[in-house]
Amino acid sequence: MRKRRLAAALCLAAAAGCAGTKPIESIPTQGTIVRSITWVLTEDASKACDQAFGKPLIGTRHACARLRGDECTIYVRPPRNEDDRTAIYILGHEALHCFVGHFHYAAN
């Protein structure tokens, strides 16, 4: 039960911390999306995100993704090992931003 609460809290924190203020874009249900994705491994995602966006972002972030055209950069701490499901979830969440843009409202 405690792990579920922690996972839920981390999911909410990750969702609240994704950068951008664009309106929600729908997630496609079929087709092909091609992107070039760069994964920047960092122990301090908040600092890396602030530097990448050129301004401090509101809230605590575990990661962020910056999409420019067909190129996307993800700033996130790497998983500790293959069983680090929270880190893998956060990386996947940011990868989804790379493919579909802003699918939820951000804090700023």
Side-chain angles (χ1 to χ4, degrees), residues 26-71:
S26 62
I27 298 174
T29 58
Q30 56 183 295
T32 302
I33 303 170
V34 178
R35 299 277 192 259
S36 171
I37 299 176
T38 301
W39 177 11
V40 176
L41 303 120
T42 178
E43 288 300 317
D44 189 345
S46 285
K47 183 178 179 181
C49 293
D50 288 349
Q51 290 173 344
F53 285 89
K55 64 178 181 177
L57 302 173
I58 296 171
T60 302
R61 289 163 316 288
H62 297 283
C64 64
R66 184 166 193 182
L67 179 61
R68 289 181 168 176
D70 288 337
E71 295 184 7

Side-chain angles (χ1 to χ4, degrees), residues 37-104:
I37 299 176
T38 301
W39 177 11
V40 176
L41 303 120
T42 178
E43 288 300 317
D44 189 345
S46 285
K47 183 178 179 181
C49 293
D50 288 349
Q51 290 173 344
F53 285 89
K55 64 178 181 177
L57 302 173
I58 296 171
T60 302
R61 289 163 316 288
H62 297 283
C64 64
R66 184 166 193 182
L67 179 61
R68 289 181 168 176
D70 288 337
E71 295 184 7
C72 189
T73 305
I74 297 172
Y75 301 85
V76 65
R77 186 168 52 186
R80 293 181 303 269
N81 56 51
E82 67 273 7
D83 295 322
D84 188 351
R85 292 179 187 220
T86 300
I88 293 167
Y89 168 85
I90 293 170
L91 177 61
H93 176 97
E94 297 306 322
L96 186 57
H97 278 296
C98 289
F99 289 111
V100 300
H102 301 283
F103 53 85
H104 56 77

